[in-house]
Amino acid sequence: FTLGALYAAGLARFEAHPLVELSLAGIVNLRDPSALLNLGLRYDVLTDVQLVAGAYLPLGQTPEVRQVLPGTGLPEARSEFGLYPFFFFVELKAAR
């Protein structure tokens, strides 16, 4: 019942160097409370080649395995973004 009800979001970008950009983005569920942060780094390797790396960091209460939803056997969610996994990514973009 708290999914998608009331959110706040923001984005900040910082050009550390003409070839390097750092970013921080976040979305917060104001009803739980929980949040999902995105950290990013973009590096212009060549004119048409970029290296992008980042991470998604969830903040919030994780489900307790001991508490299950009645009749399902599934853990009960205590926050929206607390269900999300931590993950990291690296990508190499090239344009021609």
Side-chain angles (χ1 to χ4, degrees):
F1 66 91
T2 64
L3 299 179
L6 187 57
Y7 289 117
L11 169 69
R13 288 188 169 165
F14 175 68
E15 187 177 288
H17 182 273
L19 302 177
V20 179
E21 181 180 276
L22 304 171
S23 64
L24 172 65
I27 185 168
V28 178
N29 182 332
L30 299 173
R31 301 276 311 268
D32 307 308
S34 64
L36 182 64
L37 298 179
N38 171 245
L39 307 170
L41 168 72
R42 181 187 51 101
Y43 174 62
D44 292 329
V45 180
L46 298 169
T47 304
D48 295 333
V49 179
Q50 290 182 341
L51 178 65
V52 180
Y56 286 91
L57 308 170
L59 304 170
Q61 293 184 2
T62 57
E64 287 206 22
V65 177
R66 293 187 306 265
Q67 293 178 305
V68 295
L69 292 170
T72 66
L74 298 172
E76 184 176 0
R78 297 187 300 167
S79 70
E80 179 178 3
F81 295 115
L83 296 169
Y84 286 33
F86 287 91
F87 62 96
F88 305 92
F89 64 90
V90 176
E91 59 184 270
L92 184 63
K93 295 182 184 181
R96 190 166 183 192

